Amino acid sequence: MKHVEQIKSFVLFLLVFLSLILTFTIWTYTPDYQDIEDPQVEQITLGDKKDIQEIFKPYRILIHENGGFLGSTAPTAIDTLMDAIKDLDATELRFIQSNLSEEKLNSMIHSENQMTLFFPAEVPINAFDSVLQFTQSELPEIAFSHILIDWSNIEETNTLQFSFISKEKQTLYTTVVGVGQSEFNSTYMKTVQKTVPYEEIVRANELSLYVPSNAVDLVQYTYYIDEISTEVFKDILFEDTNIVQKNFDNTTYTDGMAMMTYDSGSKTINYVYPASESMVEIKHSDLVHDSYDFVNDHGGLTGDYRYSYNNIPKHVIEYQLYLQGLPVFSSVTSTRIAVTWGANQVFEYKRPYYLFIASESSTRQLPSGVDMVKTLQTLKDIDDLVLGYYLTPDPQKAKVYTLEPSWFVIREGSWARLTPEPAGGAQYGLE
């Protein structure tokens, strides 16, 4: 019995010791937490995203060599040239001249060993640097409507001179681009193979017009179309689709802040977020980048849409639909995507919701540009005379559209179709 007390004391000591160990373990224990991953939400898109250089394309290449002009609107020629430019590096951009006259620009385009790229709208150089890389870290906030590529000195220097000209601001900047002669010759020959003879139409105190010298054979297309569901646009454009409601005629969606309407006749949608409206000044390059990011993030460039128009004071950027290198115009539907930027987000978004899915084709011949010029009463205040496609629905077949090759007059971003007179003769008139 004399050891009982000792045993009890030992057991009590052991229990206290174990209690202390357990308490210490509880205080110092850190569970192995696993990171909780956010559930992956599949992004809704209309199509594939595009690189920004795919929307900055000239609508015409013009070459002056051996005293004559060659020109092309062929996608293969333009893509070959733009792909080659994308691989080049330019030196510092240098200011050369302001108040550049129309006569001076005509003279530059007319220079020997000169290639001119015509763009449908002024392109900010700070957006184009994703195509052509410059050595300087900060570029000026300028834009251009023409790029002139001079290869006069390539044999001696292995360089090209790029001239960036703004028709609107009448400014001239240049840079030097290094390129091997064999590399240039390869690109040049691939481009020239797609060219046809062009004529210069000289106008007093205005820029010359440049048109094909001969009759033009183009393909007329009949396209079957598909439609992007307006429900998809609702899911993309509204932040909380659970509170979006339709009105009584099912043509308007709203969440109380934003509104989207659609027109089944013209197959277009119009989204507006009134609270974001702002007239605060936005730089041209920022406006281009913001609108491009907005549309491209949801794969909204669902065809060959190209940057084609801007209204900087009103924050508007537009993208024109092209087919086989030619712009598509229509009186019954929209062939443009228009973005109006607001306070750090889109204010208005207008666009078509149709897609071309299959086609039939036939060949049609159009008069030469020289002959078309003769039918016009005046050449004054015309920005350009271009070939394009006129989009119309087939009256006999649902969801079937015809794309008819036609001549168009362009003035300040607007178009007018030149159509044969009812008598069926050679005379053409504005539609």
Side-chain angles (χ1 to χ4, degrees):
M1 296 295 294
K2 66 178 180 177
H3 297 293
V4 172
E5 291 300 323
Q6 292 178 343
I7 294 172
K8 289 170 61 179
S9 297
F10 176 77
V11 171
L12 180 60
F13 172 78
L14 183 61
L15 291 174
V16 172
F17 180 74
L18 291 175
S19 177
L20 291 174
I21 292 176
L22 180 60
T23 302
F24 178 78
T25 302
I26 293 174
W27 286 352
T28 59
Y29 172 71
T30 301
D32 185 16
Y33 293 111
Q34 293 184 348
D35 294 335
I36 301 176
E37 297 182 359
D38 292 332
Q40 294 296 316
V41 178
E42 184 178 354
Q43 184 180 11
I44 301 173
T45 60
L46 305 179
D48 295 333
K49 295 183 180 181
K50 295 186 176 182
D51 294 334
I52 195 168
Q53 58 261 30
E54 295 182 70
I55 69 166
F56 289 133
K57 289 185 179 181
Y59 65 91
R60 179 193 296 131
I61 298 172
L62 190 71
I63 297 171
H64 190 262
E65 190 176 33
N66 299 324
F69 284 106
L70 296 171
S72 181
T73 60
T76 50
I78 291 174
D79 289 343
T80 295
L81 182 60
M82 297 304 289
D83 286 343
I85 291 175
K86 186 174 61 176
D87 294 330
L88 301 177
D89 294 318
T91 59
E92 186 172 348
L93 193 66
R94 295 191 303 124
F95 169 74
I96 301 298
Q97 183 180 347
S98 59
N99 298 319
L100 186 72
S101 67
E102 287 82 359
E103 182 181 8
K104 175 64 174 176
L105 177 52
N106 286 335
S107 175
M108 293 178 67
I109 293 175
H110 211 280
S111 298
E112 194 71 4
N113 299 325
Q114 185 86 48
M115 182 186 299
T116 304
L117 282 58
F118 294 74
F119 291 82
E122 299 260 332
V123 179
I125 199 74
N126 278 297
F128 196 73
D129 68 350
S130 61
V131 181
L132 179 64
Q133 304 295 318
F134 292 85
T135 56
Q136 66 200 93
S137 58
E138 187 171 346
L139 292 167
E141 188 67 25
I142 65 166
F144 62 87
S145 56
H146 299 72
I147 298 178
L148 278 64
I149 304 175
D150 186 336
W151 69 86
S152 299
N153 299 318
I154 191 168
E155 290 186 13
E156 296 81 13
T157 64
N158 282 333
T159 61
L160 304 172
Q161 177 173 286
F162 278 50
S163 297
F164 296 90
I165 294 173
S166 169
K167 176 184 174 183
E168 180 181 330
K169 301 295 184 181
Q170 297 182 295
T171 57
L172 168 61
Y173 287 76
T174 66
T175 188
V176 175
V177 177
V179 61
Q181 186 173 357
S182 60
E183 181 183 355
F184 171 76
N185 288 342
S186 174
T187 299
Y188 174 79
M189 291 305 300
K190 289 179 182 177
T191 303
V192 166
Q193 288 171 3
K194 300 296 181 180
T195 61
V196 296
Y198 264 61
E199 293 287 335
E200 178 185 18
I201 309 299
V202 179
R203 302 184 293 173
N205 301 318
E206 293 194 64
L207 293 179
S208 295
L209 301 176
Y210 300 93
V211 294
S213 305
N214 304 316
V216 183
D217 290 327
L218 290 175
V219 177
Q220 177 167 307
Y221 295 94
T222 299
Y223 268 96
Y224 298 87
I225 68 165
D226 195 6
E227 298 178 8
I228 304 171
S229 169
T230 55
E231 290 290 318
V232 175
F233 283 104
K234 179 201 73 173
D235 293 339
I236 289 172
L237 297 174
F238 289 92
E239 186 173 344
D240 185 354
T241 57
N242 293 320
I243 62 174
V244 175
Q245 296 181 341
K246 276 188 177 182
N247 70 348
F248 65 93
D249 61 359
N250 290 329
T251 62
T252 302
Y253 295 82
T254 182
D255 62 357
M257 292 290 291
M259 181 173 67
M260 185 185 79
T261 59
Y262 71 93
D263 185 332
S264 59
S266 64
K267 303 189 186 308
T268 57
I269 67 155
N270 187 14
Y271 169 86
V272 182
Y273 189 79
S276 71
E277 184 175 18
S278 171
M279 285 296 104
V280 175
E281 183 178 352
I282 302 177
K283 292 191 298 185
H284 189 178
S285 57
D286 290 342
L287 192 58
V288 167
H289 278 294
D290 290 343
S291 64
Y292 160 76
D293 288 341
F294 168 76
V295 178
N296 201 43
D297 280 349
H298 59 261
L301 299 165
T302 51
D304 184 9
Y305 283 95
R306 305 182 188 178
Y307 169 74
S308 60
Y309 173 81
N310 67 70
N311 186 324
I312 306 305
K314 293 186 178 181
H315 302 174
V316 178
I317 297 292
E318 295 186 1
Y319 305 90
Q320 175 72 53
L321 178 62
Y322 277 69
L323 179 68
Q324 299 300 320
L326 300 178
V328 179
F329 303 107
S330 179
S331 298
V332 296
T333 185
S334 174
T335 58
R336 284 193 173 192
I337 297 172
V339 179
T340 304
W341 204 251
N344 300 317
Q345 66 182 84
V346 69
F347 165 66
E348 187 173 22
Y349 180 40
K350 297 189 291 186
R351 62 163 298 140
Y353 61 80
Y354 59 81
L355 299 170
F356 297 141
I357 57 173
S359 70
E360 300 171 357
S361 61
S362 59
T363 302
R364 181 178 176 187
Q365 187 174 84
L366 294 183
S368 71
V370 176
D371 289 338
M372 292 306 302
V373 167
K374 296 175 183 177
T375 69
L376 299 175
Q377 294 181 350
T378 179
L379 297 179
K380 187 174 178 59
D381 298 327
I382 292 177
D383 292 334
D384 215 336
L385 182 64
V386 301
L387 291 163
Y389 282 102
Y390 187 65
L391 177 66
T392 55
D394 188 319
Q396 306 298 325
K397 300 178 182 178
K399 294 190 176 183
V400 174
Y401 283 72
T402 298
L403 288 115
E404 181 182 355
S406 303
W407 279 101
F408 297 87
V409 169
I410 306 298
R411 288 189 182 93
E412 297 181 350
S414 299
W415 60 271
R417 185 185 180 213
L418 296 173
T419 56
E421 293 297 327
Q427 296 297 314
Y428 275 66
L430 289 173
E431 183 175 83

